Amino acid sequence: MSQGLIVVDVQNDFCEGGSVPVKGGARIAAAIADLVERSAGREYRYVVATRDHHIDPGGHFSQTPDFQDSFPVHCVAGDEGADFHPHFAPVVTDGKVHAVLFKGAHSASKSGFEGADAEGTPLADWLRSRGVEKVDVVGIATDHCVRATALDAVAAGFRTRVRLDYSVGVAPDTTAAALNDFRRAGIAVSGKVPAPE
């Protein structure tokens, strides 16, 4: 059974100093880079990374965001905030990440399964065409885009696990709710929620 790793939104705007920062984002970016260095081509036959890539996402951008469906402007296509974090970017440029999936050009698109690669291939099709049946999901944030990606992965028929030691959430209550969602959906969970910094 071929296994893949889905790295979710390890981008500047979601790390410290970004427009929608998640505390611990930079640390997780470095940890994920190390995981990819150690396991690409071994534990994980394929590694893919998702990127928020907003052009005109409508109500997803708001001057008065609710931080559930609407957020401050972030990850605008072509802006530095949309780039992969410097801790993670080298494993992308070194070719250890096999595909980058862009999502949210004209919508909120929290899930990586709403994204497509540069040729327009959706994530589920990209994985299936390479025989991937099992995926691990990591990244930013556990209670938002990691949650949505993992739930869509299992709904699409992939055996799915979220690795908490390589993910970071926005808040304890929403992260706890996400963990309950994972368990109800039959998503495996490994590791522990990182301690607050």
Side-chain angles (χ1 to χ4, degrees), residues 6-74:
I6 303 173
V7 179
V8 178
D9 298 359
V10 182
Q11 295 169 263
N12 287 327
D13 271 346
F14 297 134
C15 296
E16 291 85 347
S19 63
V20 191
V22 179
K23 200 168 190 182
R27 176 180 50 78
I28 286 296
I32 293 171
D34 181 64
L35 173 66
V36 172
E37 286 280 4
R38 288 184 285 105
S39 61
R42 295 184 276 284
E43 181 179 359
Y44 298 112
R45 180 68 184 83
Y46 295 102
V47 178
V48 300
T50 70
R51 281 179 65 168
D52 257 13
H53 183 76
H54 295 308
I55 296 170
D56 181 14
H60 185 54
F61 286 172
S62 174
Q63 303 248 340
T64 55
D66 63 15
F67 293 95
Q68 287 299 318
D69 298 310
S70 61
F71 293 83
V73 174
H74 63 277

Side-chain angles (χ1 to χ4, degrees), residues 25 34 38 55 79 81 93-94 96 125-126 131 135 143 155 171 180 193:
D34 181 64
R38 288 184 285 105
I55 296 170
D79 286 358
T93 55
D94 287 350
K96 294 182 177 69
D125 293 346
W126 195 98
V135 296
D143 39 355
N180 287 333
V193 174

Side-chain angles (χ1 to χ4, degrees), residues 110-190:
K110 286 188 177 182
S111 170
F113 284 85
E114 297 175 80
D117 68 9
E119 285 74 46
T121 305
L123 178 53
D125 293 346
W126 195 98
L127 294 168
R128 286 195 191 102
S129 70
R130 289 158 177 82
V132 175
E133 299 177 17
K134 181 178 179 182
V135 296
D136 281 353
V137 184
V138 301
I140 306 171
T142 310
D143 39 355
H144 290 278
C145 295
V146 169
R147 173 188 175 276
T149 300
L151 290 172
D152 279 357
V154 77
F158 297 96
R159 288 181 56 189
T160 305
R161 174 175 68 164
V162 173
R163 297 188 66 170
L164 296 177
D165 41 348
Y166 295 99
S167 305
V168 63
V170 173
D173 56 342
T174 50
T175 298
L179 297 185
N180 287 333
D181 291 341
F182 297 154
R183 293 186 182 100
R184 281 195 294 268
I187 295 167
V189 175
S190 70

